[in-house]
Amino acid sequence: MTAVIESSSTQVIPPYVSIDLTRKCQLQCSHCYNSSGPDGDHGTMSREDWIRVINQVAAIGAGEVRFIGGEPTMHPDGPRLVREALRLGLRVELFSNLVRIPDEWWGLFGQDGVSLATSYYSDDPDRHNAITGRRSHQRTRENIRRAVEDGIPIRVGIVDIADSQRVKEARNDLNSLGVARIHTDRIRAFGRGSQGQAPDISQLCGQCGTGRAAIGPNGAVSPCVMAHWLRVGNVHDSDVATILNGTAMAEANASIQAASRSLDCDPDGECSPGHPSGGCSPRT
């Protein structure tokens, strides 16, 4: 479990902050927790807004930023923001569907301090494509292979959606490509994955907001990317440190932790898609 690090002034210093850049994505995955897709947009955050936020994240002592979306490589300012994070000494992880990666991004992936994360659903192209809503399997698989061959650190998450998905075979396929970090999760009932149900806080891992936060394309701050509907402030109105140490974040954290305790949950302290599973729902 990741501990909350505090300075002498008791300021919360998160190990990482998720930069949730966009709701635009080439794919339209049936389980997408924030309903991203081709009709999504980049929100109200300008390049200058994001640069200001990344500088604030570095100033409070965070060690890493994780660019996610949507598909962060579709954001026109993405490369500039990654370079800014690296300039400030932050580690960078990019969570991409790896469907279409411009050459500029491949150049960034090869830099020290940068790693990749992606999702993979089946060794069978038709089953994989049925989940993503597009013929994406071949490109994603080829780019996973390229990342491994180029020595780029990569982790892959498999979301277990259907009995016919061939999750075991998908893991074996990733192993054959040389992927070492593979983790499995189940659908979270958020976004399209909720099938119209209201968000349920008990679907979270229990550690959202404990030493982490997410900042969305409209500037809204939430305890993690999975809890984008649980807003605790907005960087258009306040700085990152004030929001992380504010009453709304504390109350959200308390609610999340109370829900996890009610489930007799001992989570592993990781909230982002495809990370290692612990003993509590929604991990598998």
Side-chain angles (χ1 to χ4, degrees), residues 178-198:
V179 179
R181 299 178 64 197
I182 308 168
H183 308 290
T184 306
D185 204 350
R186 68 172 175 83
I187 297 177
R188 315 294 186 92
F190 306 126
R192 282 194 291 272
S194 72
Q195 297 183 342
Q197 298 178 14

Side-chain angles (χ1 to χ4, degrees), residues 31-274:
H31 60 287
C32 182
Y33 63 88
N34 62 25
S35 302
S36 292
D39 295 330
D41 60 42
H42 300 315
T44 60
M45 291 286 284
S46 68
R47 177 194 294 185
E48 291 71 25
D49 289 331
W50 281 122
I51 289 174
R52 171 175 50 83
V53 163
I54 292 169
N55 275 263
Q56 290 176 3
V57 169
I60 63 175
E64 181 176 328
V65 287
R66 296 181 176 180
F67 290 91
I68 195 167
E71 174 51 38
T73 64
M74 296 185 74
H75 195 289
D77 297 321
R80 171 69 176 83
L81 301 179
V82 169
R83 286 192 288 268
E84 178 68 9
L86 293 173
R87 183 187 71 81
L88 294 166
L90 291 161
R91 297 185 305 278
V92 170
E93 180 184 78
L94 185 91
F95 201 110
S96 169
N97 58 39
L98 293 183
V99 170
R100 186 178 180 84
I101 305 299
D103 289 341
E104 182 178 14
W105 281 98
W106 282 112
L108 289 172
F109 297 163
Q111 295 193 28
D112 290 342
V114 178
S115 62
L116 276 175
T118 193
S119 297
Y120 192 67
Y121 301 105
S122 179
D123 67 316
D124 180 86
D126 290 338
R127 288 177 169 87
H128 179 100
N129 297 340
I131 291 169
T132 66
R134 181 177 172 179
R135 296 176 65 84
S136 60
H137 179 269
Q138 181 178 351
R139 287 183 174 179
T140 296
R141 188 180 187 278
E142 174 61 22
N143 284 327
I144 291 172
R145 182 198 61 76
R146 176 175 175 179
V148 172
E149 290 184 353
D150 288 352
I152 299 166
I154 185 171
R155 64 181 176 92
V156 182
I158 305 172
V159 180
D160 191 347
I161 295 172
D163 291 341
S164 62
Q165 186 179 335
R166 294 171 56 89
V167 168
K168 180 179 178 181
E169 289 82 359
R171 178 180 286 273
N172 291 340
D173 190 27
L174 290 168
N175 282 329
S176 75
L177 294 174
V179 179
R181 299 178 64 197
I182 308 168
H183 308 290
T184 306
D185 204 350
R186 68 172 175 83
I187 297 177
R188 315 294 186 92
F190 306 126
R192 282 194 291 272
S194 72
Q195 297 183 342
Q197 298 178 14
D200 179 359
I201 201 169
S202 69
Q203 289 280 310
L204 300 171
C205 75
Q207 290 298 299
C208 299
T210 305
R212 70 212 59 204
I215 303 168
N218 291 319
V221 181
S222 58
C224 77
V225 292
M226 288 289 181
H228 59 90
W229 44 271
L230 192 58
R231 298 172 183 173
V232 299
N234 194 297
V235 295
H236 283 308
D237 306 320
S238 187
D239 62 89
V240 171
T242 298
I243 295 171
L244 294 187
N245 290 280
T247 301
M249 179 64 94
E251 290 176 347
N253 292 348
S255 297
I256 292 168
Q257 291 161 14
S260 69
R261 284 194 296 269
S262 71
L263 296 172
D264 191 27
C265 169
D266 182 19
D268 66 352
E270 181 49 70
C271 292
S272 66

